[in-house]
Amino acid sequence: MLDPLVSVEHLSHLFKLSKKALIRAVDDVSFQIGRREIFGLVGESGSGKSTVARCIMNIYKPSSGKILYEGIDTCDPAQYRAHRAILEKERQIIFQDSTSSLNQRMKVADIIAEPMSIHRMKPPRGSLRAEAAFQLHYVGMDESYLDKYPPELSGGQRQRVAIARALSMEPKLLVADEPIASLDVSIQAQIINLFRHLREEHGFSILFIAHDLAMVEYLCDRVGVMYHGRLVELAPTDRLFQTPCHPYTKALLSAIPIPDPILERQRQHISFDNLHFDLSGAMREVAPGHFVLQGKEER
């Protein structure tokens, strides 16, 4: 990738539980996100996906490694301070739990306009309320919701408000940390189509973190698979789903349900035994753009 928007290089992050107990949540993870690309990150709960997202957004300070955003080393305190205004405007995150990510005592109009007020941005449409109404309409809600509070909204509506708030800054990078996990199926489809529209019309780059592999296959250009803090496979979406190489990826894909109940009963699920899985080794390119974690004995 010649000109990536984001480059994650050998990222590791440890959580300290006590003086002697440490958890390695992310271990030597490297990948890039291109301009106008939707990059998917999948894996089971506890695999380190959300920790990677929070490191990219400077919510967590990585234990080691580099994260470059348009050449800016965001892990370097001096570079971060020098470019803080740009980084806070051009990178936005959407969390899974819209209830806790929205101030329950603020009206929708104020929630959407708050980032513009903080950064003292001149609203393109004349006023903060007009801008909030525009962004709300863009995510499929009308002006009647501007004076409502988050507890008065459904889960899908709250998530749309969170997306509208992020869009108000016109970011170059949108980090979506399992944004559809708590929504019903019909609302999930609407949110996914909104993300595709954002990329096609505005050229956003999106880091999309999810459990739903069918949604990832539909939305993403490339996919990285994480297991116990390691990136075990990385490939273009069509290749990953058609020819998975790592045993964990094969097991993960075999768990995708098939709508036909007869075929679902007949197919064989792949059992993954983590007792015989070697997390050491390094990523090796097995095909153009397709990388797999392989141990020393496999190389």
Side-chain angles (χ1 to χ4, degrees), residues 20-277:
K20 295 183 179 180
L22 295 173
I23 291 181
R24 187 174 291 275
V26 177
D27 186 9
D28 195 24
V29 168
S30 299
F31 63 88
Q32 296 179 327
I33 303 174
R35 299 176 190 277
R36 302 180 64 91
E37 180 183 34
I38 301 180
F39 182 86
L41 206 55
V42 302
E44 61 191 32
S45 297
S47 61
K49 308 183 302 297
S50 294
T51 302
V52 170
R54 283 161 171 75
C55 288
I56 289 175
M57 293 299 296
N58 290 102
I59 298 173
Y60 295 156
K61 182 180 179 180
S63 302
S64 62
K66 281 186 177 182
I67 301 173
L68 303 177
Y69 173 82
E70 290 202 309
I72 302 168
D73 184 356
T74 62
C75 300
D76 182 341
Q79 291 194 43
Y80 179 80
R81 286 194 299 269
H83 300 91
R84 182 170 180 173
I86 293 174
L87 293 171
E88 290 184 351
K89 289 179 183 178
E90 295 186 357
R91 306 178 306 163
Q92 295 294 315
I93 185 169
I94 302 166
F95 296 99
Q96 175 182 347
D97 186 4
S98 58
T99 302
S100 61
S101 66
L102 301 179
N103 190 326
Q104 305 298 294
R105 298 183 178 182
M106 290 178 66
K107 292 182 179 180
V108 168
D110 298 326
I111 289 172
I112 297 173
E114 185 179 27
M116 290 182 285
S117 299
I118 292 172
H119 290 281
R120 299 178 181 177
M121 293 174 59
K122 183 178 180 181
R125 289 154 192 90
S127 69
L128 291 174
R129 186 176 178 86
E131 186 66 27
F134 173 82
Q135 298 296 347
L136 204 58
H137 176 75
Y138 195 79
V139 297
M141 297 172 68
D142 58 53
E143 294 184 23
S144 65
Y145 292 95
L146 286 174
D147 294 314
K148 292 184 180 293
Y149 293 89
E152 300 178 84
L153 307 178
S154 67
Q157 290 169 340
R158 286 195 299 269
Q159 196 63 287
R160 287 171 184 268
V161 171
I163 294 172
R165 177 178 60 185
L167 298 184
S168 69
M169 302 301 291
E170 298 184 357
K172 291 183 178 180
L173 173 66
L174 194 61
V175 176
D177 187 5
E178 301 195 40
I180 61 173
S182 59
L183 307 178
D184 61 56
V185 175
S186 61
I187 301 300
Q188 285 184 3
Q190 295 173 24
I191 297 297
I192 289 298
N193 286 327
L194 174 60
F195 283 137
R196 293 192 73 173
H197 176 73
L198 291 173
R199 192 271 299 274
E200 292 166 3
E201 186 164 313
H202 295 279
F204 291 176
S205 296
I206 301 175
L207 172 59
F208 184 77
I209 298 172
H211 281 105
D212 191 326
L213 295 174
M215 290 293 187
V216 169
E217 183 179 17
Y218 173 74
L219 178 67
C220 299
D221 302 303
R222 290 188 303 138
V223 181
V225 181
M226 289 194 67
Y227 177 74
H228 282 205
R230 293 299 306 267
L231 192 64
V232 298
E233 191 158 359
L234 172 63
T237 304
D238 55 352
R239 179 171 177 83
L240 184 86
F241 279 80
Q242 291 171 10
T243 56
C245 294
H246 195 275
Y248 177 69
T249 307
K250 294 177 182 178
L252 207 61
L253 297 183
S254 76
I256 301 176
I258 298 175
D260 189 324
I262 297 176
L263 294 177
E264 177 66 23
R265 285 193 297 268
Q266 292 176 346
R267 75 168 177 161
Q268 183 179 5
H269 291 273
I270 299 174
S271 177
F272 181 75
D273 185 358
N274 61 358
L275 295 177
H276 301 289
F277 174 51

